Amino acid sequence: MLVCGRNVAKEILLGNKKIKKCYLQEGFKEENILSLLEKRNIKINYFDKNTKDDFFKMPHQGIILDIEDFKYSSLDELNVDNAKVILDHLEDPHNLGAIVRTVEAAHLTGIIIPKDRATDVNYTVVKTSAGAIENVKISQVANINSTIIKLKELGFWIVGTTLNATDDFKDIDYSGKIAVVIGNEGKGISESTIKHLDFNVKIPMYGKTNSLNASVAAALMIYEIVRKGKDE
């Protein structure tokens, strides 16, 4: 998988992910990155800033890394006591990347996504996460609803946001183990998944817009869970 950008490169170089190749634009002078490349004894392939090769047309900030594909975690590898974020068939990799960044910033440990009909971890996700993906575990599961049932058996309460809910998301008791479900960008949470929610809540809309971007909704929910947890 190809990734680029200085923040992403730093996080990857600080980790132990295998780097197949490194491409630097001639004149690249980011000393921290150059030092990390030297420490890991990574061979550098230089390219000219005026090159017309399509390979170098991505917004690279002078560095491109060819790394091993993202390794998903099993559900059991996610911390069983920490809050989880379940993404119900999100399709936009920018949303997934932004949610990864929020999850890492809030110090949660896991995101759960389905294998089918959803974005997986690709270059755009890595780039949008600004390197945060190196510190977040993502589990890719065959069936969201079966996973929710398993989480309930482990003592999790499941909360999701829908437009037709009556309870305000700030009025819910988030003590204990919580998993928050974020729906698809256009369709929201699927009907079959809504049936498994312990709490169905809404994020109030005060303007003419009737819904929020999925990553924004996720951020509000995540930080409300964190805030309530710290107030306990």
Side-chain angles (χ1 to χ4, degrees), residues 86-89 112-114 141-149 181 193:
I86 302 171
L87 305 181
D88 187 5
H89 297 93
I112 298 167
I113 64 174
V141 300
N143 185 280
I144 289 291
N145 292 332
S146 296
T147 301
I148 287 175
I149 292 171
V181 182
T193 300

Side-chain angles (χ1 to χ4, degrees), residues 88-111:
D88 187 5
H89 297 93
L90 260 66
E91 298 174 345
D92 187 344
H94 291 93
N95 278 333
L96 177 54
I99 291 171
V100 167
R101 192 170 182 178
T102 300
V103 165
E104 199 283 330
H107 199 51
L108 304 190
T109 57
I111 295 175

Side-chain angles (χ1 to χ4, degrees), residues 103-135:
V103 165
E104 199 283 330
H107 199 51
L108 304 190
T109 57
I111 295 175
I112 298 167
I113 64 174
K115 291 181 179 179
D116 300 322
R117 296 180 290 113
T119 185
D120 55 9
V121 176
N122 56 26
Y123 158 73
T124 302
V125 174
V126 175
K127 176 69 174 177
T128 307
S129 79
I133 200 162
E134 292 301 303
N135 301 305

Side-chain angles (χ1 to χ4, degrees), residues 64-91:
I64 301 172
L65 298 179
D66 184 0
I67 64 174
E68 61 183 341
D69 290 340
F70 181 80
K71 291 183 178 179
Y72 295 95
S73 301
S74 68
L75 189 62
D76 293 336
E77 290 178 294
L78 274 60
N79 187 324
V80 295
D81 294 321
N82 198 263
K84 303 285 176 287
V85 178
I86 302 171
L87 305 181
D88 187 5
H89 297 93
L90 260 66
E91 298 174 345

Side-chain angles (χ1 to χ4, degrees), residues 4 11 68 78 81 125 130 150 154 161 177 188 190 205 217 230:
C4 58
E11 289 297 326
E68 61 183 341
L78 274 60
D81 294 321
V125 174
K150 182 174 181 179
L154 293 172
T161 63
K177 299 178 182 179
S190 61
M205 301 288 121
K230 289 185 176 180

